[in-house]
Amino acid sequence: MDSFTKDAMELMDLPVEILEIIFDYLTVPDLKNASMVCLQWSNMAFSGRRMHRVRLNVDFRNDDSQDYLTLLRRSKRQYRHVVLEIDSKKMTVISCFIELLENFKRSVESLKLVSYYVEYSQIRDILLEVPNLKKLSLQAMVLLDHAQTANLMPPSIKPLHQLTDLVLQSDSSLQLQPFDICTFAPNLRKLDMDCDLTRAVEVFSHFSDRLKSVAVFFKTNAFFLRFCEINFPELLEIDFYSDDEQFDDDAAVRTISTFFARLKRLQMATLRCNITQPIMNALIENCRDITCLHIKTGNLENRAFSGLANLTKLKVLTLDGWLRSIVFEDCKPLSALQELRLHSIAMDHTLECFKKLSTMMPNLRKLDVIEQDMDDDCLHFICKNMVSLQQMLLEICPNITEDGFEYLNRLPHLFELSLGYLDLLQGFLVLIPPNEVKLLSLNRCDKLTDDDLMLIPHVFPLLTRLKIASCHLITFAGIERLRSQIPWCTVITEHILE
C-alpha cells in the first residue's frame, strides 16, 4: 500500500497528450473551471479544436467601460464564434469592437450582431476584419449612413467567399442598394430571411439552385405564392413560417403541394403554417428522406397521419397547435421514430391521444412535453406503457401534480429527466420511488426547498449530474449541503440565492 502511494501519478503529472484527450471530453463549464487551475491548463482548455465549442459574448448593452474593454483586449484566445450585443445608444463602441477583432480576426468563423439598428458602413468595416467568416447573423436593421444620405455611393462589402450561412432579422436591409447579398456572399448554402419584398424573392431565386437550407417567414401572404414557385433542387432543410396563409384557397394548395413535390432531397422540414391534408399528402408522397418533421396542426382531417409510416427514415416528430385524436386513426407504427416533441399543443382527448401515440411510436427514446394540458393520468400511462423512454422533459404542464410521478420507476431505461415550471408541492420527492435517472434538471420549481434537496440521494441513487436553476426557495447553503451528500455528482446551479 505504501509503495502504491509513493509511486502513484498525480493529475498534474499526466503527459500533455493525455490531458488533451481528457479536455476533449469536458463540457464548456468544466473547461472554464479547469482553465483556472494553472496557466498550462488555461492555454490547453481554450485552444485548438476545443475552441469550436466556445463562444465569446461581447456585451456592450450595459457595460462599455474601459475596464471591460481592457479585459477583452488582453485575451489571446483565438475565438471562432463571436456575439456582439449593442445598445442602439452606444453605437460608437463598434470602433472598439473592430479593434478587438484584430486579436483573432483570422480565426473568426461565425459572427452574430444584436442591436436595434446598425449603419451600413459599420457592417462593412466589421466584415473587413473577418475574411474567413462562414456564418453571419444580423439581428439588427441596417440603415442609411452619412455617405448615403449625401447621395454618395459607399464602397460595397468585399466578397466573403467562405460565407455559406446568412441570417437576417428582416429583409428590409435589401432595400439598401450597396447591401447586395448576391455580391458579398456569392457562395451561400443556407439562408434565413423574411420574404416580404420583391427583392427578397429575387435573392431566394438567385441562390435557389445551390441552397441546402432555407428558413423563410412571411408576415403577409403578398409574396407567399411567388416564393412557392421557386425550385430548390438541392434543398435538405426548410423552415416555413406563415401566419396569414391558411391554405383555404385551391390555387394556393396546388402551388404549395407542387412546391413540396419538387423537394425530393428534403431531410428536415418545419412547417408552421397550418397545413392542410393535400399538402401533408404531397410531403409524405414525395419527401421520403425526411428524418425530422415539425408541423403546426389545426386543419388536419381524420386519418391525417395514416401515411406517416411511409417516411421510413423519420426519427424526430414535433407537433404544435390543435390536435384531435382522430388524426391518428389507421396510423401504422413508426419504427424509426425516436423523439417526440409536443410544444404548445392542445388535444381534444389528451389521454386517448397518448394511447394512440404509444402504439404509433413503439421505439420512442425521448419525449418533450412543453406547455401542454396533460395530467397525472397521462403521466401514469406514459410511465407504464412507453417503457423504451430514455429522456423526458416536462415543462409548463399545470395539470401535473406530485402524484403524477408515483410510477416513474416503471421506466427502466430513463436516464435523463428535466422538470420546468411545474407547480409541485414541497416534499413531492417523497412520492417518487427510487429510479434509474442519472441526469436531473429542475428549473423554476418554485416550491422546492433545501429540505427537499436532501431527498435527492435516496430518490435518484444513480445521479451523476444535477442542474438546479431559478428555484427560488433553494439557497446556496442548501446546494452545498447536498454536494457533501453526493460528492460523485456534478451539481450545476443558476440563479440560486446566496
Side-chain angles (χ1 to χ4, degrees):
M1 183 70 179
D2 291 338
S3 61
F4 175 81
T5 304
K6 181 179 179 181
D7 297 336
M9 177 180 288
E10 296 183 0
L11 187 60
M12 298 295 291
D13 298 327
L14 288 175
V16 172
E17 295 79 8
I18 301 298
L19 285 173
E20 292 273 4
I21 295 174
I22 293 174
F23 281 19
D24 283 344
Y25 284 92
L26 295 181
T27 64
V28 172
D30 288 338
L31 283 174
K32 182 178 179 180
N33 292 334
S35 72
M36 293 187 285
V37 173
C38 63
L39 181 59
Q40 180 195 22
W41 282 27
S42 177
N43 293 334
M44 290 177 58
F46 295 105
S47 64
R49 55 185 175 265
R50 283 172 292 281
M51 291 303 291
H52 274 298
R53 297 188 282 137
V54 179
R55 182 181 65 195
L56 173 64
N57 289 325
V58 182
D59 192 344
F60 284 137
R61 292 172 302 174
N62 301 312
D63 194 349
D64 58 353
S65 65
Q66 285 301 314
D67 289 342
Y68 182 57
L69 293 171
T70 300
L71 179 64
L72 291 173
R73 291 189 186 108
R74 285 176 181 170
S75 177
K76 302 300 181 183
R77 295 169 181 165
Q78 294 301 297
Y79 290 101
R80 301 182 185 183
H81 311 292
V82 181
V83 176
L84 171 63
E85 298 183 83
I86 310 175
D87 188 306
S88 298
K89 299 178 182 178
K90 301 180 179 180
M91 298 305 291
T92 55
V93 297
I94 285 187
S95 60
C96 299
F97 178 70
I98 293 175
E99 179 185 344
L100 176 64
L101 285 177
E102 287 289 337
N103 291 344
F104 39 85
K105 60 187 297 182
R106 296 287 175 183
S107 66
V108 176
E109 297 178 1
S110 75
L111 173 63
K112 180 178 181 180
L113 192 152
V114 181
S115 180
Y116 180 72
Y117 74 88
V118 62
E119 292 185 351
Y120 167 78
S121 60
Q122 293 172 321
I123 287 292
R124 186 191 66 240
D125 292 344
I126 290 175
L127 295 183
L128 282 173
E129 298 297 326
V130 284
N132 297 319
L133 195 66
K134 296 179 180 178
K135 178 177 180 179
L136 173 63
S137 179
L138 291 180
Q139 307 296 310
M141 292 188 294
V142 182
L143 302 180
L144 297 172
D145 54 25
H146 296 300
Q148 290 168 301
T149 56
N151 294 320
L152 299 175
M153 181 62 68
S156 59
I157 299 174
K158 184 179 179 180
L160 297 168
H161 294 286
Q162 296 191 53
L163 185 62
T164 58
D165 189 336
L166 178 62
V167 179
L168 295 182
Q169 183 184 50
S170 72
D171 54 5
S172 60
S173 306
L174 302 182
Q175 294 177 323
L176 305 182
Q177 184 176 351
F179 192 81
D180 186 356
I181 295 176
C182 302
T183 300
F184 79 76
N187 298 314
L188 277 188
R189 296 294 181 269
K190 185 173 183 178
L191 180 57
D192 182 339
M193 185 175 66
D194 294 352
C195 190
D196 293 300
L197 295 171
T198 297
R199 181 59 181 149
V201 177
E202 293 172 351
V203 170
F204 277 114
S205 182
H206 174 83
F207 291 105
S208 62
D209 62 344
R210 70 200 79 170
L211 285 175
K212 304 288 187 181
S213 175
V214 164
V216 57
F217 176 46
F218 304 92
K219 295 177 183 176
T220 69
N221 60 12
F223 296 92
F224 180 79
L225 294 182
R226 287 182 59 184
F227 175 87
C228 293
E229 291 171 352
I230 302 174
N231 184 25
F232 297 93
E234 301 297 318
L235 204 63
L236 302 177
E237 179 179 0
I238 189 167
D239 188 339
F240 203 78
Y241 198 142
S242 174
D243 280 340
D244 282 2
E245 183 56 65
Q246 299 297 319
F247 304 113
D248 53 4
D249 178 77
D250 290 342
V253 170
R254 287 194 297 270
T255 298
I256 194 170
S257 296
T258 302
F259 175 79
F260 282 109
R262 294 194 299 258
L263 301 181
K264 302 294 186 180
R265 301 187 61 192
L266 198 64
Q267 297 177 6
M268 303 177 67
T270 298
L271 310 176
R272 293 175 284 184
C273 46
N274 281 320
I275 64 173
T276 54
Q277 196 62 48
I279 298 167
M280 185 75 175
N281 293 340
L283 184 76
I284 292 173
E285 292 172 7
N286 296 281
C287 307
R288 297 298 182 93
D289 288 335
I290 285 183
T291 59
C292 299
L293 177 61
H294 177 174
I295 56 178
K296 181 178 179 180
T297 66
N299 294 332
L300 294 178
E301 303 168 2
N302 299 2
R303 305 175 62 254
F305 290 157
S306 61
L308 273 183
N310 292 323
L311 301 179
T312 57
K313 300 179 181 180
L314 186 63
K315 294 182 179 180
V316 180
L317 177 63
T318 302
L319 303 173
D320 68 56
W322 166 246
L323 189 66
R324 296 175 296 169
S325 60
I326 55 177
V327 302
F328 300 116
E329 295 292 340
D330 299 329
C331 186
K332 298 179 180 179
L334 309 175
S335 58
L337 195 72
Q338 298 181 7
E339 184 172 340
L340 174 64
R341 303 169 181 169
L342 301 175
H343 290 189
S344 303
I345 196 164
M347 298 178 175
D348 59 347
H349 302 292
T350 308
L351 181 57
E352 188 64 26
C353 284
F354 272 100
K355 289 180 179 180
K356 293 180 178 179
L357 288 169
S358 175
T359 303
M360 281 175 55
M361 307 168 186
N363 300 315
L364 198 65
R365 300 290 185 268
K366 183 177 181 181
L367 174 64
D368 288 357
V369 183
I370 300 176
E371 199 172 355
Q372 210 265 339
D373 58 357
M374 67 178 290
D375 56 15
D376 291 347
D377 288 340
C378 292
L379 186 51
H380 291 166
F381 177 83
I382 290 170
C383 293
K384 294 177 181 179
N385 296 277
M386 296 184 171
V387 293
S388 61
L389 280 182
Q390 298 177 1
Q391 298 169 274
M392 182 164 62
L393 179 149
L394 303 175
E395 187 171 292
I396 316 179
C397 299
N399 295 327
I400 291 180
T401 74
E402 51 277 4
D403 294 330
F405 295 90
E406 62 180 312
Y407 300 114
L408 193 66
N409 62 340
R410 299 282 190 94
L411 296 173
H413 306 292
L414 187 70
F415 72 87
E416 181 171 1
L417 176 65
S418 299
L419 306 178
Y421 294 84
L422 298 184
D423 191 25
L424 301 171
L425 296 177
Q426 179 181 349
F428 95 98
L429 289 172
V430 173
L431 302 176
I432 301 180
N435 53 76
E436 305 292 315
V437 171
K438 297 179 175 63
L439 311 177
L440 175 65
S441 294
L442 301 172
N443 181 29
R444 285 299 301 268
C445 296
D446 286 338
K447 294 184 179 179
L448 298 186
T449 67
D450 290 348
D451 290 337
D452 290 311
L453 295 184
M454 294 301 101
L455 297 172
I456 286 179
H458 172 70
V459 178
F460 305 101
L462 302 181
L463 205 62
T464 59
R465 191 189 73 191
L466 170 65
K467 181 177 180 180
I468 302 176
S470 301
C471 296
H472 293 147
L473 294 182
I474 291 178
T475 68
F476 183 75
I479 296 291
E480 288 303 298
R481 188 153 55 107
L482 176 63
R483 283 192 172 115
S484 67
Q485 296 293 319
I486 49 174
W488 59 86
C489 179
T490 300
V491 181
I492 303 169
T493 61
E494 293 180 3
H495 309 296
I496 298 300
L497 296 176
E498 291 290 341

